[in-house]
Amino acid sequence: MLDPTFAAAHPIAGSAAPAGALSALSDGLEAFDAFLWGPWLLIPLLLGTGVVLTIRLRGLQVRKLGPALRFAFLQRDGGGEDASAEGDISHYQALTTALAATVGVGNIVGVATAIHLGGPGALFWMWVTALFGMASKYAEAFLAVRFRTVDARGRQSGGPQYYLMRAVPGVAGKALSIFFACAAILASFGIGSMTQSNAVAAQLHNSFGWDGAVVGIALAIAVGAVLLGGIEAIGTVTSAFVPMMIVFYVGGCFYILAANASGIPAALGLVLGGAFTGHGALGGFAGSTFLMAVQFGAARGIFSNESGMGSAAIAAAAARTNHPTRQGLVSMTQTFIDTIVVVTCTGLVILTTGTWTGSDPATMTGDAFTHGLPGEWGHYIVSVSIVFLAASTILGWAYYGDRCAERLVGVHGVLPFRLIFTCVVFLGAVTELKDVWTFADIANGLMAIPNLIGLLVLSGLIARETASYLEQDPHLRRRGDDFDSLPQTAADDCAN
């Protein structure tokens, strides 16, 4: 996901501030965004939901992480037993589609922002949110498969926009479903489209002098071509593209950490010590308190891996699987990869090279790579990584918006959405975004609220059916057709 700090530091067009009513609107959006993502609403709600689910699932994310990683990466399609199950793409393709949307520029700039404002201890709180967020990611992916449906064209549709409607009783469930779908479409145009193409155009312009319009046209054509193929094409692209992208970036991190291996113990000491005392680059109250370390670490961790926000569940619903527990366990590895692997690598690179004391978080990671790698390699790796990460996020969010449009207006709304989305990709590359960043951040946060309510209401159902499955297949090795199936409906079994 893309961090708003990047846009402020890499504008394409002029940055004249709006006046009058526009200025008041801008101030209002910023105030609402600060409240939404502040310490009194989304952060405690997201973290608290993860804690509740961790307790009810008895630490599933720790107990079953090993089997989940093996099943996701070494036992493709469940070793063949799920190949004939309902679904449009494999477990692995569903995972990489979700990773494409979440492993983004926020993993580069967002980590630096958290450390800059909250100190090295913020990285510790990013780990904490990831640990509990894995339970939330499991739960929403479980529900997505559990209550998915088939659209008029025979494709799987699922996610909060469906399981809130089908599992939460009464008008409340339908209202939460519609609210989520509307917020997700808005977010797909903001965080998922305009801001990402803007980041790509800005990076290529600043690094190589490329014109934003040319970049926008190229991006729009590429995205449009993939979208025409639907989730199958997206899954095929992301399954090949995302691993290469992560290995490319993480490989650069490993080289720098190997070269600065003597500084790793000291960096970890800063993280663990700063987690409870606080020490930020800004100094003073703004960056030196324990509260700031917790707030910025938790906020950026959640913003990076999207656990509890419901977006990744949309991709999980398309997976070929015979039981929702299987895809839930695969999906929770997404948070592990995003935060425990990629974010940790970025944070340690920033700390071991000493660039975390700089004044501009938008350039910290780039400076760290420039200092840590020989010649111009650091500059190119960060530039290419930002382009690839942002471009992959566009594809993931295109599918999220596609499925939410189908939920609201049916399959006839899918093609118009894809055409509009493709046009918005171009507009983002050539337009100064100004308040679009803030609006996109708000839409992203609004998605989480109905989803978190649903996760809490349905936590009993998730825990019971998960325990039932794991009693039959604790190591995820049984064939997909030789365990007890779930009932077709469970609306009357969703309380507690």
Side-chain angles (χ1 to χ4, degrees):
M1 188 181 294
L2 192 58
D3 193 290
T5 308
F6 184 89
H10 297 80
I12 295 179
S15 56
L22 291 180
S23 180
L25 175 62
S26 178
D27 292 342
L29 286 173
E30 290 181 3
F32 183 65
D33 184 43
F35 169 74
L36 187 65
W37 284 100
W40 310 114
L41 184 56
L42 270 181
I43 291 178
L45 185 57
L46 281 157
L47 192 57
T49 301
V51 171
V52 169
L53 289 167
T54 296
I55 294 171
R56 301 206 74 164
L57 292 166
R58 298 186 294 117
L60 177 81
Q61 67 269 48
V62 177
R63 294 187 294 115
K64 299 300 179 183
L65 178 60
L69 287 169
R70 188 203 77 243
F71 190 73
F73 294 99
L74 301 180
Q75 198 171 328
R76 300 288 179 82
D77 285 333
E81 73 270 28
D82 282 4
S84 61
E86 293 182 355
D88 300 322
I89 55 178
S90 69
H91 289 294
Y92 177 72
Q93 289 174 325
L95 172 63
T96 55
T97 299
L99 276 171
T102 53
V103 179
V105 179
N107 294 76
I108 298 177
V109 182
V111 182
T113 303
I115 292 175
H116 179 69
L117 296 175
L123 183 59
F124 174 85
W125 293 106
M126 294 182 85
W127 294 338
V128 171
T129 60
L131 175 63
F132 292 114
M134 288 172 68
S136 300
K137 188 64 65 76
Y138 168 83
E140 60 193 21
F142 175 97
L143 291 173
V145 175
R146 178 69 173 80
F147 294 100
R148 65 185 177 184
T149 186
V150 179
D151 69 19
R153 294 177 180 172
R155 289 182 171 174
Q156 296 289 339
S157 290
Q161 75 275 24
Y162 281 99
Y163 63 67
L164 291 171
M165 175 182 66
R166 301 186 69 193
V168 177
V171 177
K174 184 175 181 180
L176 291 172
S177 166
I178 294 174
F179 187 92
F180 175 87
C182 291
I185 289 176
L186 292 176
S188 73
F189 290 138
I191 287 294
S193 180
M194 290 190 73
T195 56
Q196 304 297 330
S197 60
N198 186 268
V200 172
Q203 187 64 39
L204 293 177
H205 175 77
N206 293 335
S207 297
F208 308 108
W210 291 9
D211 182 76
V214 175
V215 173
I217 292 172
L219 268 177
I221 292 174
V223 169
V226 175
L227 290 185
L228 287 176
I231 184 58
E232 292 87 351
I234 294 174
T236 299
V237 171
T238 58
S239 64
F241 182 71
V242 170
M244 176 189 69
M245 174 185 71
I246 294 176
V247 169
F248 179 74
Y249 176 72
V250 172
C253 290
F254 281 170
Y255 180 94
I256 296 172
L257 292 176
N260 295 277
S262 60
I264 294 178
L268 291 174
L270 285 173
V271 172
L272 297 176
F276 302 98
T277 59
H279 179 67
L282 292 179
F285 177 77
S288 62
T289 66
F290 162 72
L291 179 61
M292 298 299 281
V294 176
Q295 179 180 347
F296 285 103
R300 292 303 161 189
I302 293 166
F303 196 78
S304 172
N305 59 54
E306 299 183 22
S307 295
M309 294 175 64
S311 49
I314 301 173
R320 285 191 296 271
T321 184
N322 283 303
H323 200 284
T325 293
R326 293 182 170 218
Q327 185 56 40
L329 289 170
V330 170
S331 293
M332 81 176 187
T333 66
Q334 174 198 337
T335 298
F336 178 82
I337 295 167
D338 177 275
T339 304
I340 304 301
V341 177
V342 181
V343 163
T344 298
C345 287
T346 302
L348 291 179
V349 163
I350 291 171
L351 293 174
T352 56
T353 57
T355 59
W356 73 277
T357 58
S359 59
D360 184 2
T363 63
M364 279 184 188
T365 307
D367 292 342
F369 271 71
T370 299
H371 294 157
L373 294 175
E376 295 295 320
W377 280 104
H379 166 75
Y380 288 123
I381 284 181
V382 173
S383 295
V384 173
S385 294
I386 287 176
V387 171
F388 281 2
L389 291 168
S392 69
T393 300
I394 293 174
L395 290 179
W397 274 94
Y399 180 66
Y400 297 164
D402 177 303
R403 293 296 83 190
C404 286
E406 188 271 334
R407 159 68 182 90
L408 292 175
V409 297
V411 293
H412 298 296
V414 171
L415 181 58
F417 168 82
R418 292 176 181 175
L419 293 174
I420 295 171
F421 187 91
T422 302
C423 293
V424 170
V425 169
F426 171 77
L427 290 176
V430 298
T431 306
E432 181 186 358
L433 299 186
K434 296 180 181 177
D435 293 327
V436 171
W437 293 93
T438 306
F439 180 78
D441 202 18
I442 290 172
N444 223 23
L446 291 176
M447 288 172 54
I449 295 175
N451 183 57
L452 293 171
I453 293 172
L455 293 183
L456 290 172
V457 170
L458 301 171
S459 60
L461 170 70
I462 298 165
R464 286 192 301 275
E465 294 189 354
T466 297
S468 176
Y469 174 78
L470 291 176
E471 286 178 1
Q472 303 174 63
D473 186 22
H475 305 295
L476 303 183
R477 293 188 181 277
R478 293 180 65 174
R479 292 187 58 83
D481 55 2
D482 67 350
F483 48 76
D484 295 341
S485 60
L486 291 168
Q488 292 301 308
T489 61
D492 58 347
D493 191 35
C494 295
N496 304 318

